[in-house]
């Protein structure tokens, strides 16, 4: 009985070994695919990597966070760190960029969007968000990081922020794409009022009032004007809120210091429809001189074809005569009718 169990045990051991190898292979592939940052950036060498800390996990999951990585880079005695976050699209990266910007950060000229203060630099480009601590990367270094990032994609940024009036508190803007971000930045508004099942999105900013109290202004956008018209009544029922509709936009001023502050802000929300027509790129077909040139070339080609065809036919006739053909079929029959009455 004992000898009969040995083959089974050996087979089980072999299957276990194969399963472990497959598991290790899958883990190694998963770790390789999780790498976001390059091994070298110029003279900088990458240290041990780990998943980057997520500042607001529920909200960032709603933004479409897919993967993250943080690592330290060294060049001699100098060190700095990079945290990289990949989102499903550029809208998610833009929304996270709005949230993590330091309050004292100033805009900088980089590929994509960027702000920086004395301690860190935050850059959003495509569907990626990068946070540099202790170092301001050079343009070619940033381009190298973006160029080597896996599953990088570029898509248009949201146009909603351009409808916010000027004068907002620096870096107070926040982007809202669902119930989690709405609860984080504007808990006064129920998700059912915003109706995110209509694919609504919103941009929030805070505006200083004359009495030292900030007014929170939120601009929602809906796919159609009919949807916005349907929601405006629900927003107007919110306590302490003043709402206005402009096209597919619904602007809401929350808890303004005075009604006048709310009216001043809302009066500056104006939707302007933009119609984008395909740009006509001139071609050679649109040039009259090119048309006449093509006609002249066609005439030359036809004339050349006629000449060549005549030479071919004449040559064949000569060859046929030399080959002994009688040529009787080529004689012309004359009736000689001129001398007869």
């Amino acid at each position: 009985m004992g000898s009969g169990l040995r083959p089974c045990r050996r087979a089980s051991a072999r299957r276990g070994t194969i399963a472990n190898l497959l598991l290790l292979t899958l883990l190694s592939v998963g770790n390789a695919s999780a790498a976001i940052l390059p091994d070298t950036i110029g003279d900088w060498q990458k240290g041990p990597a780990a998943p980057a800390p997520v500042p607001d996990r529920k909200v960032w999951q709603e933004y479409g966070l897919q993967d993250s990585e943080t690592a330290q880079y060294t060049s001699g005695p100098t060190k700095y760190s990079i945290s990289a976050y990949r989102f499903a699209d550029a809208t998610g990266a833009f929304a996270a960029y709005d949230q993590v910007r330091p309050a004292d950060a100033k805009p900088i000229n980089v590929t994509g969007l960027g702000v920086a203060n004395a301690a860190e630099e935050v850059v959003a480009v495509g569907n990626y968000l990068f946070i540099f601590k202790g170092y301001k990367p050079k343009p070619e270094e940033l381009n190298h990081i973006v160029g080597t990032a896996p599953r990088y994609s570029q898509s248009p940024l949201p146009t909603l922020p351009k409808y916010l009036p000027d004068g907002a508190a620096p870096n107070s803007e926040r982007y809202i794409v669902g119930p989690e971000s709405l609860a984080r930045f504007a808990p006064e508004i129920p998700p059912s009022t915003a109706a995110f099942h209509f694919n609504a999105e919103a941009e929030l900013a805070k505006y200083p009032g004359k009495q030292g109290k900030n007014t929170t202004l939120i601009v929602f956008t809906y796919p159609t004007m009919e949807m916005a018209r349907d929601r405006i009544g629900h927003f107007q029922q919110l306590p302490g809120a003043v709402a206005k509709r402009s096209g597919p936009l619904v602007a809401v001023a929350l808890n303004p210091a005075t009604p006048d502050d709310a009216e001043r802000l809302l009066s500056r929300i104006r939707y302007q429809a933009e119609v984008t027509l395909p740009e006509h790129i001139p071609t050679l077909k649109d040039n009259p001189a090119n048309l006449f040139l093509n006609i002249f070339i066609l005439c030359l080609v036809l004339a050349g074809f006629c000449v060549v065809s005549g030479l071919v036919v004449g040559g064949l006739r000569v060859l046929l005569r030399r080959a002994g053909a009688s040529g009787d079929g080529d004689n012309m029959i004359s009736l000689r009718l001129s001398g007869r009455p």
Side-chain angles (χ1 to χ4, degrees):
M1 180 175 177
S3 59
L5 292 176
R6 287 173 186 171
C8 296
R9 291 176 179 174
R10 290 173 183 174
S12 301
R14 284 196 294 269
R15 285 194 292 268
T17 303
I18 294 174
N20 291 333
L21 291 175
L22 289 176
L23 180 60
L24 291 175
T25 303
L26 291 174
L27 290 175
S28 61
V29 171
N31 291 333
S33 63
I36 295 177
L37 298 170
D39 293 333
T40 59
I41 306 174
D43 296 333
W44 300 94
Q45 299 294 323
K46 181 181 179 181
V54 180
D56 198 333
R57 183 165 295 277
K58 288 185 178 181
V59 173
W60 283 34
Q61 286 178 348
E62 188 176 75
Y63 287 161
L65 179 64
Q66 294 180 337
D67 201 358
S68 67
E69 184 182 21
T70 184
Q72 191 175 73
Y73 284 80
T74 60
S75 178
T78 309
K79 298 180 181 180
Y80 75 95
S81 67
I82 307 177
S83 295
Y85 303 87
R86 185 178 68 240
F87 293 84
D89 53 28
T91 298
F94 169 79
Y97 165 83
D98 267 359
Q99 185 179 5
V100 299
R101 289 178 301 173
D104 60 342
K106 303 294 182 183
I108 57 175
N109 186 18
V110 295
T111 302
L113 301 172
V115 293
N117 60 9
E120 62 183 5
E121 180 174 314
V122 181
V123 177
V125 53
N127 61 327
Y128 272 91
L129 175 69
F130 300 99
I131 301 177
F132 301 86
K133 293 186 177 181
Y135 182 68
K136 307 291 191 299
K138 301 175 183 177
E140 59 271 17
E141 293 174 334
L142 180 58
N143 291 337
H144 175 67
I145 295 172
V146 175
T148 57
R151 298 170 61 184
Y152 170 81
S153 65
Q154 183 70 46
S155 57
L157 292 174
T159 59
L160 188 55
K162 71 178 183 180
Y163 293 106
L164 286 177
D166 297 332
N171 300 325
S172 66
E173 297 88 351
R174 298 292 184 268
Y175 205 74
I176 298 172
V177 299
E180 292 294 342
S181 49
L182 181 67
R184 176 73 67 223
F185 306 126
E188 302 91 340
I189 301 178
S192 59
T193 300
F196 290 105
H197 61 278
F198 287 151
N199 293 325
E201 295 182 356
E203 176 81 348
L204 174 151
K206 296 184 181 296
Y207 291 82
K210 292 184 177 180
Q211 299 181 2
K213 181 180 178 182
N214 290 336
T215 297
T216 301
L217 178 66
I218 309 178
V219 181
F220 289 85
T221 180
Y222 293 89
T224 65
M225 295 185 184
E226 289 74 14
M227 292 180 182
R229 191 179 295 113
D230 174 74
R231 303 318 302 169
I232 182 64
H234 295 79
F235 284 106
Q236 290 173 339
Q237 295 175 4
L238 295 176
V242 183
K244 168 193 173 181
R245 184 187 70 85
S246 178
L249 305 179
V250 175
V252 184
L254 294 176
N255 302 317
T258 64
D260 291 339
D261 288 344
E263 291 296 334
R264 291 190 187 96
L265 287 175
L266 294 177
S267 65
R268 296 161 63 186
I269 304 295
R270 297 178 182 176
Y271 174 74
Q272 294 180 351
E274 295 182 356
V275 179
T276 303
L277 297 177
E279 182 181 358
H280 175 68
I281 301 176
T283 63
L284 294 176
K285 296 181 180 179
D286 302 314
N287 187 357
N290 185 72
L291 175 62
F292 290 113
L293 177 61
N294 290 334
I295 293 175
F296 178 72
I297 294 174
L298 178 61
C299 293
L300 291 179
V301 171
L302 293 176
F305 177 76
C306 293
V307 171
V308 173
S309 299
L311 293 175
V312 171
V313 173
L316 289 175
R317 291 171 63 88
V318 172
L319 291 176
L320 289 174
R321 288 180 180 178
R322 290 183 177 180
S326 61
D328 293 338
D330 297 333
N331 294 334
M332 182 179 294
I333 300 174
S334 178
L335 298 178
R336 303 177 184 274
L337 299 176
S338 59
R340 295 188 180 186

